Amino acid sequence: MTAAEFLPLDGGCTCGEVRYRMTSKPIFVHCCHCHWCQRETGASFALNAMIEADRVNLLKGNVEVVDTPSNSGKGQKIARCPKCRIALWSNYSGAGDAVHFVRVGTLDEPERLPPDIHIFTSPKQPWVVLPPGMPAVEEYYERSAYWPKESLERCDAVLSAKAR
């Protein structure tokens, strides 16, 4: 999906207390199969859309940010609905508050954001079959090998602004 084809995507928690809108397409979408994501989600993987925080607008309610441990040891902040406790997005230490990792499953139309890559596939559940031709790596990867130029530029802009 190109930026021109993108229509804003709305999402929210289960109880409807929190609603949000992604105002642009994400930088990149990861499907992470690490054991940490499996434990955190209670599922076989986490599907996260990386997007600049200023491109995610709260339409209704407020989120509660919960500091939680992460596999890196640097922790993460998970934005949750204060009522039903659904995780809507995370912020990891690398980009801090500047980039949200939106939980694709909380979107009203999650099918519009399939993964761009499957990561940490070495511990994936053996019954999860990855589509032929889909980029997949056993651990993490070099962004420049998989990300489109526009995504690299957006990420660089966010990290540069964060460093200021």
Side-chain angles (χ1 to χ4, degrees):
M1 155 187 347
T2 68
E5 295 170 328
F6 185 84
L7 299 173
L9 287 172
D10 290 352
C13 64
T14 302
C15 72
E17 184 80 14
V18 178
R19 298 288 300 157
Y20 68 88
R21 174 171 291 150
M22 293 175 60
T23 61
S24 78
K25 73 177 196 161
I27 293 171
F28 212 65
V29 181
H30 287 137
C31 186
C32 183
H33 298 267
C34 77
H35 283 148
W36 197 273
C37 284
Q38 290 179 40
R39 180 182 317 107
E40 209 172 73
T41 63
S44 299
F45 50 80
L47 189 58
N48 292 312
M50 297 175 60
I51 187 169
E52 297 90 333
D54 63 1
R55 296 181 187 199
V56 178
N57 299 329
L58 277 172
L59 303 174
K60 178 184 173 192
N62 290 300
V63 296
E64 180 182 349
V65 177
V66 180
D67 288 319
T68 61
S70 68
N71 197 31
S72 71
K74 297 177 183 177
Q76 67 175 306
K77 295 177 181 179
I78 301 178
R80 294 184 176 276
C81 169
K83 187 174 176 184
C84 69
R85 312 299 296 151
I86 295 299
L88 300 163
W89 60 79
S90 287
N91 293 83
Y92 294 94
S93 62
D97 293 337
V99 176
H100 289 338
F101 285 69
V102 173
R103 301 295 195 275
V104 172
T106 66
L107 291 167
D108 296 343
E109 300 176 86
E111 65 278 2
R112 290 190 46 209
L113 290 183
D116 293 309
I117 192 168
H118 289 264
I119 61 175
F120 293 99
T121 60
S122 56
K124 81 171 182 57
Q125 294 299 312
W127 46 265
V128 172
V129 179
L130 303 181
M134 170 64 69
V137 293
E138 287 190 3
E139 300 298 324
Y140 201 69
Y141 61 95
E142 278 296 320
R143 291 181 196 140
S144 59
Y146 293 94
W147 288 20
K149 183 177 185 250
E150 175 193 1
S151 294
L152 291 167
E153 290 169 352
R154 285 172 61 189
C155 188
D156 288 345
V158 168
L159 296 178
S160 293
K162 179 186 172 240
R164 288 186 217 140

